[in-house]
Amino acid sequence: MSRHRVDARAEVRSGATEPLARVRAVAFDLDGTLVDSAPDLAAAANAMLEALGHARLPESRIAALIGNGIDRLVEGALAASTGRATGSRPLTTATALFRRCYAERLFDRSRVYPGVIEGLEALDALGVPRCCITNKASAYTLPLLDAADLARRLAFALCADRPDERKPAPGMLVAACGRLGVDPGEMLYVGDSRIDVEAARAAGCPVAVVDYGYHQGFSLAAEHPDWIIGSLVELSALPVMPPSANLQA
């Protein structure tokens, strides 16, 4: 498939420039897109495993489990450490332990990815409203955004506090469009995984993926996002429309 070059690093699918010109708001995934949270998630998972008498896992193995919520991460970490499936009662105990461990270290070793602050500031200067849409629970998302100095740069955050809200279900993206006063085709969703692409497609939003983050072993190009970018700074070079007058924080 032929590609057009937006700038030195951003790639656009052929024929995708028209939907890009309609973008009036931008929403972002959190883990793997705005924040490299794998170090603290891995530390919490390994603290949980050690407390339960199981072997620790490499950070890279735990990073591959990020993106589907805490329950799936805990279940995957236990299976990888023990080599077997875990029953519902031990899983409930392990999940509660992980939640306590993670709450103690939300932003100890995590970091904001290079270009994120600059990218958000550039969009702000263009008057483009921004929000966060994540499968992370609000109990962790909101303090993490505060600790990373990102909360004040976003209008709001929508979090998957129930399993049925998790991406790739489109509900949070559709809800964000309503709050921002834009149609789904006017909100660009930026993520790092197949789940993000699927959620955007289901909601009817254009989608860009970053070439870093947690891809869960899937090829970004194979997911056919509208754009692949190397930094959020590149978003400010895209020909976005003026923001909606109906923004509701």
Side-chain angles (χ1 to χ4, degrees):
M1 180 179 292
S2 63
R3 285 185 173 274
H4 299 298
R5 188 68 72 167
V6 172
D7 63 15
R9 299 189 65 184
E11 293 184 344
V12 182
R13 284 199 300 133
S14 177
T17 53
E18 182 178 350
L20 179 58
R22 297 180 60 229
V23 169
R24 301 171 68 191
V26 184
F28 299 92
D29 174 50
L30 177 54
D31 299 295
T33 301
L34 297 178
V35 176
D36 180 7
S37 52
D40 290 321
L41 285 165
N46 278 322
M48 171 202 73
L49 291 170
E50 286 188 325
L52 295 173
H54 303 314
R56 294 170 60 89
L57 295 171
E59 183 177 306
S60 59
R61 182 67 183 87
I62 296 170
L65 302 171
I66 296 173
N68 288 305
I70 283 177
D71 293 347
R72 296 283 183 84
L73 188 153
V74 170
E75 184 177 12
L78 285 171
S81 177
T82 64
R84 62 180 184 276
T86 304
S88 59
R89 183 173 296 180
L91 186 58
T92 298
T93 300
T95 301
L97 179 57
F98 175 87
R99 290 179 184 276
R100 290 196 298 273
C101 292
Y102 187 46
E104 296 171 353
R105 48 171 67 82
L106 280 173
F107 201 64
D108 285 356
R109 293 174 51 223
S110 297
R111 64 184 179 92
V112 176
Y113 283 108
V116 167
I117 298 297
E118 297 86 347
L120 294 176
E121 289 179 343
L123 290 174
D124 185 49
L126 291 172
V128 179
R130 306 153 310 285
C131 69
C132 177
I133 303 173
T134 175
N135 277 350
K136 204 182 200 77
S138 57
Y140 309 110
T141 297
L142 303 181
L144 177 56
L145 288 173
D146 281 332
D149 195 29
L150 295 175
R152 65 186 178 90
R153 306 174 193 275
L154 301 163
F156 57 84
L158 297 183
C159 311
D161 288 328
R162 299 193 308 270
D164 62 321
E165 296 173 323
R166 291 178 190 149
K167 300 172 294 180
M172 291 192 293
L173 277 72
V174 173
C177 291
R179 290 188 62 172
L180 293 168
V182 300
D183 293 330
E186 298 173 325
M187 186 183 80
L188 174 66
Y189 189 54
V190 183
D192 69 307
S193 71
R194 181 172 75 169
I195 290 171
D196 296 322
V197 176
E198 291 176 353
R201 295 285 182 241
C205 297
V207 58
V209 292
V210 297
D211 62 7
Y212 53 84
Y214 316 131
H215 306 146
Q216 299 176 325
F218 295 100
S219 165
L220 290 175
E223 302 308 319
H224 304 296
D226 295 304
W227 303 279
I228 299 175
I229 60 175
S231 167
L232 298 196
V233 173
E234 294 168 12
L235 294 174
S236 63
L238 306 180
V240 295
M241 291 178 61
S244 168
N246 300 320
L247 174 62
Q248 300 176 15

